[in-house]
Amino acid sequence: MIDHDSPPHLRIRSVSKSFGKSSKAKLALNDVSLSVQPGERVALLGASGSGKSTLLRVINGLHVADRTGEGLVQIDGRPLQQGGRLSADVRDIRSNIATIFQQFNLVLRLKVLTNVCVGSLHAMPFWRALLGFFPRQTLLRALDALDRVGILEQAYKRARLLSGGQQQRVAIARAMTQGARLILADEPIASLDPESSRRVMELLVLLNQEQGATVLVSLHQVAVALKYCQRVVALRDGRVVYDGPSASLSVDQLKSLYGSESDLIFDELEAPKSLPQKPPTPQPPSARSSHEVYAS
């Protein structure tokens, strides 16, 4: 549920980001400002190179914004970065941000359960994190997350043995285990088949509905964005050109946004059968006793 009465969960003010030096620098973000309320599901749309991924990386501090302008990124009222400098509290602030990448960012030689437990490293003593000794409670929480995403039986397999869709579900289980309140998903379904894509988007809705997480997801699939997100922020050439309800996004705006890619976008919008008919209803996990068995 969106909390309209609380201060913004995420506030971005006058953020620009360029790559390269001097006259050859390419401006990826150009004076971007926006706010996201707690509990919102927001889709970032735009053609390739519009700045979607760069914006997500600035939000989680993987990219530092340019020093020109205010360049403020604020999470729950705390500045993560400002004026081209990361906050001294950036590690603590990041503990409440989970990023789900297109390429999953798993350690493929490690077991699935270990990859999920990594989401709790920020709350562990350094020696435990260094040696990989996870407390039993962390293991149970990770198994619960794997159960919720439907791959509990894969817990002790190496991550490299899983399909792409399963690996993305491991990444979502890691976010669940982390208990992050802000979920950033960077084109999480770009390399997945339609059924895996549907499952991943339903799980992002589950995170939003059950854990109250704020979800900001960049997508290239307009139909998916319109189905699963109440709000769209559209970027073109690093600028915000639309920020409003998904249902109010017009055909002319989409044509302007995607240019030569518009035909592909409209073909996709004319194929609704590939999309679920309604957002998923959260399902309770299976009996907790199974987690005790897996953890033993």
Side-chain angles (χ1 to χ4, degrees):
M1 177 180 286
I2 302 171
D3 186 352
H4 293 287
D5 297 325
S6 296
H9 192 167
L10 167 66
R11 178 183 281 122
I12 300 169
R13 213 156 51 211
S14 300
V15 165
S16 296
K17 175 63 181 176
S18 55
F19 296 96
K21 296 182 179 180
S22 63
S23 60
K24 295 184 179 180
K26 175 179 172 53
L27 194 59
L29 295 176
N30 190 350
D31 197 28
V32 171
S33 296
L34 64 93
S35 294
V36 179
Q37 290 300 120
E40 276 197 277
R41 290 197 307 273
V42 182
L44 288 178
L45 291 181
S48 300
S50 61
K52 302 187 301 294
S53 295
T54 302
L55 180 57
L56 291 178
R57 287 174 173 269
V58 167
I59 292 171
N60 65 17
L62 291 178
H63 286 331
V64 178
D66 293 347
R67 295 189 178 185
T68 56
E70 187 174 3
L72 175 68
V73 176
Q74 203 172 53
I75 311 294
D76 280 330
R78 302 173 65 189
L80 183 142
Q81 63 171 289
Q82 187 169 11
R85 296 182 184 276
L86 293 175
S87 165
D89 299 326
V90 64
R91 187 173 183 272
D92 185 47
I93 297 171
R94 274 182 180 154
S95 68
N96 278 310
I97 304 173
T99 304
I100 299 168
F101 296 94
Q102 178 182 343
Q103 298 302 325
F104 321 132
N105 276 29
L106 303 180
V107 182
L108 297 181
R109 62 184 177 80
L110 294 181
K111 295 176 182 177
V112 166
L113 181 59
T114 303
N115 273 283
V116 175
C117 287
V118 165
S120 294
L121 285 180
H122 68 278
M124 291 171 52
F126 177 75
W127 70 270
R128 276 190 176 274
L130 186 65
L131 297 175
F133 289 164
F134 297 104
R136 182 176 179 81
Q137 196 58 37
T138 297
L139 292 170
L140 290 174
R141 191 163 63 247
L143 289 167
D144 177 75
L146 287 170
D147 191 4
R148 286 174 180 272
V149 303
I151 53 171
L152 178 61
E153 71 282 358
Q154 310 291 340
Y156 290 98
K157 288 185 179 179
R158 305 288 179 187
R160 59 181 167 78
L161 299 177
L162 273 59
S163 68
Q166 289 174 324
Q167 288 186 24
Q168 194 61 289
R169 282 192 265 170
V170 174
I172 294 174
R174 182 174 57 199
M176 288 180 169
T177 302
Q178 182 180 340
R181 296 184 60 247
L182 176 60
I183 308 296
L184 307 176
D186 188 5
E187 300 211 9
I189 62 172
S191 58
L192 303 183
D193 61 80
E195 177 59 24
S196 296
S197 297
R198 179 190 65 80
R199 178 66 173 166
V200 165
M201 291 306 300
E202 288 183 352
L203 289 170
L204 290 176
V205 173
L206 188 74
L207 274 167
N208 173 258
Q209 292 180 342
E210 282 203 343
Q211 293 189 192
T214 303
V215 176
L216 185 59
V217 53
S218 73
L219 292 164
H220 199 67
Q221 300 86 347
V222 173
V224 174
L226 299 181
K227 185 68 180 180
Y228 289 100
C229 297
Q230 309 105 317
R231 174 182 167 195
V232 164
V233 174
L235 298 173
R236 185 176 67 238
D237 297 328
R239 285 185 176 273
V240 174
V241 295
Y242 177 85
D243 183 356
S246 303
S248 299
L249 194 60
S250 70
V251 170
D252 287 341
Q253 286 168 322
L254 286 172
K255 286 182 177 178
S256 174
L257 191 62
Y258 286 97
S260 61
E261 298 179 38
S262 296
D263 288 344
L264 294 175
I265 296 299
F266 292 125
D267 286 346
E268 173 195 333
L269 288 171
E270 291 171 358
K273 292 182 180 180
S274 64
L275 296 171
Q277 296 304 303
K278 61 181 180 179
T281 300
Q283 299 295 320
S286 59
R288 293 298 190 270
S289 58
S290 64
H291 304 162
E292 296 286 347
V293 171
Y294 273 86
S296 60

